[in-house]
Amino acid sequence: MKLPNIHIITEDTIFSSIIYRLLLNRFGKINFTQSHNLFELKSNSSGKVYDAVLLDNFIAGTSQFELLAYLRNNKEICAPILYFTNNTLDENGALEAGATKVINKPFVPDGLVDQIQFFTTLVNE
């Protein structure tokens, strides 16, 4: 079985650590990379293939919808994009900008990992 290749975009190291541990508990091993802003994303994602991209709603210096549009319009990134927010008003804007799924914080850990597993399975079929 191919290891899931997950990329997270967040400045929040606690959030990133929680997601990483949840995924490790489910998959055992994963390829997990992180960007903290749009500049890092552009330099880190060139030539990479992701099974899922996880985007936190707050990235300093960049509109989250601008970042979503960049991800969706980037021909190299065709992975599902899961957008995390604590503002339910963000949902329509996020979906219009290119999010595959909006996940409200706080989230149920098992439910989140089930959704990530579902999307990574779709990508790998």
Side-chain angles (χ1 to χ4, degrees):
M1 181 176 143
K2 177 183 170 279
L3 293 179
N5 194 9
I6 309 292
H7 188 78
I8 189 167
I9 306 161
T10 184
E11 294 179 332
D12 186 343
T13 55
I14 294 171
F15 177 69
S16 177
S17 296
I18 290 169
I19 299 293
Y20 180 69
R21 288 176 189 266
L22 289 171
L23 293 172
L24 274 180
N25 286 340
R26 174 67 60 92
F27 295 109
K29 256 184 133 177
I30 58 170
N31 294 319
F32 188 84
T33 54
Q34 180 175 352
S35 296
H36 297 94
N37 54 48
L38 182 59
F39 176 75
E40 280 185 16
L41 175 66
K42 287 179 177 179
S43 63
N44 293 341
S45 65
S46 182
K48 301 274 174 55
V49 177
Y50 302 118
D51 295 317
V53 174
L54 313 179
L55 174 61
D56 198 10
N57 68 318
F58 180 75
I59 304 294
T62 305
S63 156
Q64 67 270 30
F65 300 129
E66 177 185 349
L67 191 49
L68 271 167
Y70 169 79
L71 287 166
R72 190 48 65 211
N73 292 325
N74 185 335
K75 301 301 180 214
E76 292 181 5
I77 300 174
C78 55
I81 302 168
L82 284 69
Y83 176 76
F84 293 84
T85 185
N86 52 5
N87 183 350
T88 56
L89 298 175
D90 280 356
E91 190 165 347
N92 286 339
L95 292 170
E96 288 173 7
T100 307
K101 174 82 176 161
V102 175
I103 298 171
N104 291 309
K105 295 187 225 175
F107 52 83
V108 176
D110 285 339
L112 169 65
V113 177
D114 287 345
Q115 290 182 53
I116 293 171
Q117 185 171 19
F118 170 76
F119 284 112
T120 58
T121 302
L122 282 179
V123 169
N124 289 314
E125 286 186 347

